Amino acid sequence: MPSAEVILHQTHGIFANGQWHRIPDTRAVTDPATGNLVGTVAYAGKTEAALAVDAASQAFPDWAARTAEERALVLERWADLISAHREELAKVVTLEQGKPLAEALDEVDGAAKFAKWYAEEAKRVAGEVVPGSARNRRILIWRQPVGVCGLITPWNYPASMVTRKLSPALAAGCTVVLKPALQTPLSAVFLFRLLQEAGCPDGVANLVTGRAADIGEVFMQHPAVRKVSFTGSTEVGKLLIRQSADQVKRLSLELGGNAPLIVFPDADVEAAADGAIANKFENAGQMCNGINVMYVHEQVAAPFIERLAERVQALRVGHGLHPETQMGPLIDHAAVHHAHTLVEDAVRAGARVVTGGHQLTGERYERGSFYAPTVLTGITPHMRIAQEEIFGPVAPVVVFRDEDAVLKTVNATPYGLAAYVYTRDVRRVFEVAERLEFGMVAVNGTSLSVPQAPFGGIKESGEGREGGHFGIEEYLNIKYVSVTLGP
Ligand code: NAP
């Protein structure tokens, strides 16, 4: 039975064809709050990635031929095991990623929900029969699993991103090779041990930690891999699009964002400020659908900023395992540097620091990558901080006057993942949601990721959806079969 102790402070190999294989080259996983070692994983390359793809390829015909109920049973057991180990898995998430334990527990519960939901969705994959063009002709439309899939996940949600990809893939009848982020591979190791215990057949799900570029190349060049699903930066997503051309691989891409929050003058201002904080400071601002910039109407700007600043100042920052902690560290020092560079640039261009605006130092934060929760006012949309994804605990506020102009501004970004709106006017709800060029819009709330809804973006935020019945379609091919019955 896997436990946190079996995962932490151990050395893990790659997992291929139902076996863990140790390799000599390894990399340390460290706690971003302390810099301490929390585990060691294989640093694999092309050879190991190809081995894992071969295992997935051999396992594919049998897994695809199983009934939906058989595949669902594995996913149901996986979901139950994740729930049974929620505290231990959450501890691993916190130690390698940094988020407070309460947030890690939410993430783990969400991870179990994806497995549970796709266990059910596996049984709802159906074809169609449409009228033929002749009396003796029948037209059938089937949905069949795509084949072997290469899955690449980021470090910010190291548990839920794994189940969000594996669950629909396995439910559809695909076999997979997962490459988790090198900074947070231990949650994936834990999840794979649970999946093995859930009775997942050998070779159906394989795990390779290691050199990203090499593993990515194997995914793109190995003819057995028919699809790659990637969550991460837009920069790497564009590279994968280019690499996918040679073999016309199917792609799903969940990429970066620049989510606006728009607070209209008729909004419930307190609810808007509270919603803004819940979203912006979750995971220390390292969330793809996290609010990047807050656009607040001039009539409600003063009370909004006052409540925002008051609550942000009160946020307790520290180690994620400490029960008092409300915000943990950023993933590494480079992330702190990136956030601070954007803050400094904004200040040089005329922004005002209401609270925060600096790295946290001193005994409590020594060796960790902590940044103070920050609120900036006097922001204008052309500043770098409004244009680029901050991915840190910094809340820049733009005060606006004109509804039409603010919509043009927020739509001008090349990204299109999520947007948030606060208004009590039902006419405005629909008019604004229709005009926003984003894959997801939340009105009077700031939480979006649930297993039953299609999560994903447009424009440079990617293509494809995860969640809902849309999520399983990403792993299914459509086949049109025309049957002529006779003369
Ligand atoms: P990243 O650098 O693109 O890394 C993401 C994953 O891609 C990691 O597993 C990484 O491996 C791997 N990778 C890096 N270079 C690669 C290459 N040449 N070929 C194949 N794989 C490669 O992104 P990140 O900084 O970890 O994650 C933050 C970004 O992800 C943000 O932009 C965020 O908005 C986005 N994100 C989007 C969503 C969404 O649903 N839209 C969700 C979460 C995050 P290594 O760790 O080994 O480098």
Side-chain angles (χ1 to χ4, degrees), residues 152-157 161 164 179-183 210-217 230-237 239-240 243 253-257 287-289 389 391 417 455-457 461 466:
I152 304 174
T153 49
W155 48 262
N156 59 346
Y157 288 85
M161 291 297 115
R164 194 163 95 170
K179 193 221 87 65
L182 199 58
Q183 285 166 306
R211 281 184 286 282
D214 286 355
I215 298 166
E217 266 184 52
F230 169 79
T231 297
S233 60
T234 296
E235 188 193 350
V236 174
L239 174 76
L240 295 176
Q243 290 178 341
L253 300 168
E254 298 283 351
L255 309 178
M287 186 163 78
C288 58
N289 59 311
E389 191 179 29
F391 235 56
L417 188 59
F455 191 100
S461 290
E466 290 186 328

Side-chain angles (χ1 to χ4, degrees), residues 274-423:
D274 293 350
I277 290 167
N279 173 298
K280 177 79 239 186
F281 295 92
E282 177 178 334
N283 204 13
Q286 304 166 112
M287 186 163 78
C288 58
N289 59 311
I291 295 163
N292 208 50
V293 181
M294 304 179 181
Y295 297 85
V296 186
H297 193 270
E298 60 180 2
Q299 283 175 23
V300 289
F304 178 89
I305 292 166
E306 191 185 336
R307 187 172 174 90
L308 183 72
E310 197 180 284
R311 290 209 42 210
V312 170
Q313 266 158 6
L315 284 174
R316 291 184 299 273
V317 183
H319 195 290
L321 290 184
H322 195 285
E324 302 264 284
T325 295
Q326 294 172 304
M327 195 185 96
L330 300 197
I331 189 68
D332 55 24
H333 293 288
V336 171
H337 177 73
H338 173 69
H340 192 56
T341 302
L342 292 177
V343 169
E344 281 184 324
D345 180 81
V347 169
R348 268 197 303 276
R352 190 173 79 83
V353 178
V354 180
T355 184
H358 55 86
Q359 185 170 357
L360 290 171
T361 50
E363 202 185 333
R364 199 162 159 215
Y365 304 112
E366 207 187 351
R367 296 175 62 227
S369 38
F370 290 95
Y371 198 75
T374 298
V375 175
L376 301 177
T377 55
I379 300 294
T380 55
H382 67 267
M383 289 179 182
R384 258 186 79 193
I385 202 161
Q387 304 276 333
E388 293 179 25
E389 191 179 29
I390 306 167
F391 235 56
V394 180
V397 181
V398 174
V399 177
F400 77 92
R401 183 175 291 172
D402 180 63
E403 175 171 326
D404 198 50
V406 80
L407 289 176
K408 283 191 179 123
T409 299
V410 302
N411 282 339
T413 164
Y415 296 107
L417 188 59
Y420 304 89
V421 176
Y422 276 81
T423 176

Side-chain angles (χ1 to χ4, degrees), residues 36-61:
N36 293 341
L37 181 76
V38 289
T40 307
V41 293
Y43 194 58
K46 289 188 174 175
T47 310
E48 295 80 10
L51 183 86
V53 170
D54 290 340
S57 182
Q58 277 158 27
F60 175 68

